[in-house]
Structures are given as C-alpha cells and as structure tokens.
C-alpha cells in the first residue's frame, strides 16, 4: 500500500481545511484515508459501509464492474478449473499455491482433524430434532473452544494454524451430523481414503445397512461449489468475523459469529431462496407469466443479478457448466423443477428487459439447482455455504490478528435521539 496523493476537504467558512492522504492498492480504486478527519471534531457517515474500506487485505479482490474475482491474485475461473478445494484453502491461508509435497501434507493434516470430540455429540442431543441446521452449527462451533484449549492463544502463530486446520476439517462433520440428527439418522464419522467433498457426501448419505459409493461427478460438483464460495472479500459475515476477532475473541467464537451472520436471508440464504421461488412457480407453463410479473414488480426474481457484480458473476459460468454435468449424470434434464429453472434461465438471457438491467443468472441460481439435484435438502444449503466460507473467514481473521496495527473495531454513530433532559418522578409525568 502506497500513498498516491492527497485530497483537501474545505469547510463552508472558506478558512479551514484538512488534507487527507490517498492510498493506492495493487488493484482497485484508490482510497481516501480519513483517520485524521476525526481530529476536526466530525465523523464521516456511511451506513452499510458502501463507500468505506475497513481494512487492508491481501486475500481476495473483486471488481464488480468487470466481473472479476481473484483469490490471492489467481482468477476464480482458473482455480475452479484446475485446483481442488483444499488446494484453494492452502492458497487463501498461506498466500501461495502449494508444491506437491506441501499439498499432500496439508490434505493429510486436514483429514486428520475431521473427527469430533466424542462429548460434542451430547450437544446435538440437546437440540430439538426440528432445529434448523444453522442453529445447531452456531451452537456447536462456538462450543469447540470448550474442548480445544491448545489452540486458543491468538497471539501464538502455531495456535492460529492448528485452529485453522480444526475449523476447516470439522465444519463438514458438524454440518453433516446436524443434518443426520435432524432426520433421526445415526451420526456418521469421516471415512479414511475419501476426499474432502467425498467425505461430506458419505457422512450425509451413507447408512449402516447399505454400501454407499460416492459418485465422482457429484463430488467434483460439490468441491467446485466449495471453491466458488471459499471467500468473497469484505462481505457481511467476513466483516463480522473481523469485528469479533478485533476484541481478541477466540477463533471458534469468531467463526460462530460469522455463521450466525451468514444465516441471514440477505446474505447466505440466496440459493435457498432460488428453490423456494421454483416451488412457488410450480410448473414450466407458468414461467412466462411469472417473468412478466417480475417486470410488473409483482414478483421478485431470485438468483439473478448481484449486488456486487454489475456485469456477469464470474462464478456463474463455471456453475452453469457444473449444473449441466450434474443434470446429465443424474438424467434430470426432464425433471419438472429443473425444466422450469432452465426456462427461467432462457428468458433471462434473451429478454431485453433482463439483459438491459444485467439480471443474469448468478452463482446462487446454479448452485441451488446443483445441490437440489444431488439430493441435499434446502435447509442444508446455507450450512454448506458456511463450511465452504470457513477458510475465507479464518484467513481474514488470521491476517487481522497478525497485523501489528490492529485495533478493536469501534464504529461511530450519528445520534438522532432526544437531547439532554432531566429525570421526572413517576407521579409527575404526563
């Protein structure tokens, strides 16, 4: 980060002004450093932080206008095509792609940590069977700090590394067991010899009475979903993890806070909303009327367009290819729900109304279809998002903790409440 120039802010009185440095990053727009502005006795006001850089980071870059997403400088298209999820995890955590030996050691270490302490299973039994899996995940992940005391010293780099391995390794196990508990099924343990994505499918769907063979096409599709959701810069949940971590909270508590934030329907529930929309439309014959209703502002179109990407979501094209592969593998192209989805896609990509507004299918549209085709229930979509995003959260947390200039987050406010007033005795109040 270099100081590029400065901007001068002048007051209405024409006499006073303040110089603010302009900082230049590797990519993206320049940033005005407003830290000195507080000395004027005023603060800036930016609800939602839409024009505010809250930190300096080397992890992920997004250019929404150009439709670019880079992990550590590598385009997401290249990583999704050539790398598996654990290779991407290594990259996000360490800043560079691993050598063959480093990759083998990393994979081995992650898989060695995927078991849960046996007493943790008592937590599952404390929840109602119909509890949402995200509620279970928030509770169980937060409770990990009660079991793994040897990775709670956030100032020790080795402790931070061990915590990262444990979180990446155990989140699929926790998510799968939350699903199994909800269904009244026996909890499955990870199986040696399976990949990260294969193990998740095995823990989700295998039963003691029938051998379960993981379909490699489905495992690859799930691995790609993990990769595409691994990080997304300073979004709401990542900012939550950073703000929680700035207080010195342990990493398990911080990741639990991120999961809680992701649970919000405006954040992690987008692909879940896609399937609900398809169910509400009901039949392919009703698609044209529904899309007209979208134009007339009677219906909301889920899974199209993106708050960040003003052009095409770079992850969408990758997921479209994956979606086609999964539907072909499972012979579902003629399934009513998926025919309906493809008709929505066709209209959105050909109708000038949607093209002019850049309402293209995004990653949530295709990933929702893929997860549904695999047999994963809608209630598990956000938990899968959470386990994929964990490596991004822990990478940002570790980057922040390693920064010697880190300060506890303390946003200011524009107070619009009552001015000072004196207490009135209860028998004298109007």
């Amino acid at each position: 980060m270099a100081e590029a120039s400065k901007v001068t802010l002048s007051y209405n009185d024409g006499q006073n002004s303040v110089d603010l440095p302009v900082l230049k990053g590797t990519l993206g727009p320049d940033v005005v450093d407003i830290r000195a502005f507080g000395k004027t006795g005023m603060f800036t006001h930016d609800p939602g932080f839409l024009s505010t850089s809250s930190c300096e980071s080397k992890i992920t870059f997004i250019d929404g206008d150009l439709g670019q997403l880079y992990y550590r400088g590598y385009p997401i298209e290249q990583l999704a095509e050539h790398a598996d999820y654990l290779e991407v995890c290594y990259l996000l955590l360490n800043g560079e792609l691993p050598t063959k030996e480093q990759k083998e050691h990393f994979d081995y270490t992650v898989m060695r940590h995927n078991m849960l302490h046996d007493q943790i299973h008592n937590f599952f039994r404390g929840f109602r069977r119909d509890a949402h899996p995200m509620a279970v995940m928030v509770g169980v992940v937060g409770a990990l700090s009660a079991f793994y005391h040897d990775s709670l010293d956030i100032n020790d780099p080795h402790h931070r590394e061990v915590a990262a391995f444990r979180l990446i390794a155990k989140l699929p196990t926790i998510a799968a067991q939350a699903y199994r508990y909800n269904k009244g099924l026996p909890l499955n343990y990870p199986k040696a010899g399976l990949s990260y994505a294969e193990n998740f499918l095995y823990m989700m769907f295998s039963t003691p009475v029938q051998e379960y063979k993981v379909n490699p096409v489905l495992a690859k599709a799930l691995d790609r979903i993990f990769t595409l959701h691994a990080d997304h810069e300073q979004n709401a949940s990542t900012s939550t993890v950073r703000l929680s971590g700035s207080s010195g909270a342990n990493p398990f508590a911080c990741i639990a806070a991120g999961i809680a934030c992701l649970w919000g329907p405006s954040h992690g529930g987008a692909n879940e909303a896609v399937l609900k929309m398809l169910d509400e439309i009901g039949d392919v014959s009703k698609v044209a009327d529904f899309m007209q209703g979208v134009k007339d502002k009677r219906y909301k179109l889920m899974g199209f367009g993106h708050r960040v990407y003003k052009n095409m979501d770079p992850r969408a094209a990758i997921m479209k290819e994956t979606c086609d592969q999964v539907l072909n593998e499972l012979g579902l192209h003629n399934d009513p729900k998926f025919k309906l989805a493809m008709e929505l896609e066709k209209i959105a990509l050909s109708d000038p109304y949607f093209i002019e507004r850049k309402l293209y299918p995004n990653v949530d549209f295709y990933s929702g279809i893929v997860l549904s085709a695999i047999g994963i229930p809608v209630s598990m979509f956000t938990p899968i998002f959470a386990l994929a995003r964990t490596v991004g959260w822990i990478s940002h947390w570790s980057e922040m903790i390693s920064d010697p200039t880190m300060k506890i987050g303390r946003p200011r406010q524009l107070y619009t409440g009552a001015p000072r007033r004196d207490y009135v005795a209860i028998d004298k109040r109007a």
Side-chain angles (χ1 to χ4, degrees), residues 51 55 89 122 156-157 178 251 269 283 324 327 331 336 369 391 418:
S51 300
C55 65
C89 288
N122 295 331
D156 185 327
D283 187 80
D324 289 337
L327 295 181
I369 295 170
V391 67

Side-chain angles (χ1 to χ4, degrees), residues 335-354:
D335 179 272
K337 179 180 291 186
F338 301 120
K339 285 181 69 176
L340 190 161
M342 294 304 103
E343 184 64 18
L344 280 175
E345 176 198 48
K346 178 182 175 182
I347 293 175
L349 293 176
S350 60
D351 190 313
Y353 176 91
F354 300 102

Side-chain angles (χ1 to χ4, degrees), residues 329-385:
E329 175 69 16
L330 299 176
L332 291 175
H333 270 294
N334 290 320
D335 179 272
K337 179 180 291 186
F338 301 120
K339 285 181 69 176
L340 190 161
M342 294 304 103
E343 184 64 18
L344 280 175
E345 176 198 48
K346 178 182 175 182
I347 293 175
L349 293 176
S350 60
D351 190 313
Y353 176 91
F354 300 102
I355 295 173
E356 291 167 6
R357 289 163 176 77
K358 301 186 185 302
L359 293 175
Y360 303 114
N362 61 32
V363 69
D364 299 309
F365 178 76
Y366 294 114
S367 63
I369 295 170
V370 169
L371 292 174
S372 180
I374 289 174
I376 293 172
V378 171
S379 64
M380 283 299 297
F381 286 8
T382 312
I384 287 173
F385 192 164

Side-chain angles (χ1 to χ4, degrees), residues 88-280:
V88 170
C89 288
Y90 183 99
L91 171 67
L92 289 171
L93 287 167
N94 298 289
E96 299 294 340
L97 290 169
T99 64
K100 185 174 183 294
E101 292 74 21
Q102 289 171 331
K103 173 69 163 57
E104 290 174 352
H105 178 70
F106 185 84
D107 288 5
Y108 168 77
T109 306
V110 169
M111 303 314 281
R112 190 168 58 88
H113 281 291
N114 59 12
M115 293 280 288
L116 297 178
H117 191 290
D118 193 59
Q119 282 183 275
I120 291 176
H121 295 130
N122 295 331
F123 282 93
F124 289 95
R125 287 188 284 271
F127 291 100
R128 287 171 53 112
R129 288 283 182 181
D130 60 355
H132 195 287
M134 285 294 281
V136 176
M137 288 185 68
V138 170
V140 174
V141 172
L144 292 178
S145 58
F147 292 86
Y148 301 107
H149 302 148
D150 59 343
S151 55
L152 296 181
D153 184 355
I154 65 172
N155 297 310
D156 185 327
H158 177 66
H159 279 221
R160 296 199 298 268
E161 182 182 44
V162 172
F165 277 123
R166 282 177 170 155
L167 283 160
I168 294 168
K170 296 181 191 305
L171 259 293
T173 308
I174 293 170
Q177 293 194 356
Y179 165 74
R180 303 279 296 188
Y181 180 79
N182 177 269
K183 296 297 182 184
L185 298 169
L187 304 184
N188 282 331
Y189 291 91
K191 185 176 182 180
L194 297 180
S195 71
Y196 192 86
E198 288 172 341
N199 238 319
F200 181 70
L201 290 171
Y202 171 81
M203 289 188 289
M204 284 280 292
F205 298 123
S206 67
T207 65
V209 296
Q210 186 175 3
E211 183 181 4
Y212 178 78
K213 292 184 178 180
V214 179
N215 185 318
V217 174
L218 305 188
K220 182 179 179 181
L222 190 60
D223 190 87
R224 186 168 280 182
I225 287 175
F226 292 163
T227 293
L228 297 179
H229 289 85
D231 194 44
H232 211 236
E233 211 198 69
Q234 306 305 319
N235 52 77
S237 57
T238 299
S239 298
T240 297
V241 170
R242 279 184 173 266
L243 190 60
S244 301
S246 73
S247 72
N250 72 74
F252 304 108
C254 295
I255 300 307
I259 294 171
C261 180
L262 187 71
W263 193 4
S266 295
H267 189 7
N271 51 14
E272 186 173 337
V274 170
L275 268 293
K276 289 181 179 178
M277 176 188 70
L278 296 180
D279 288 338
E280 288 170 1

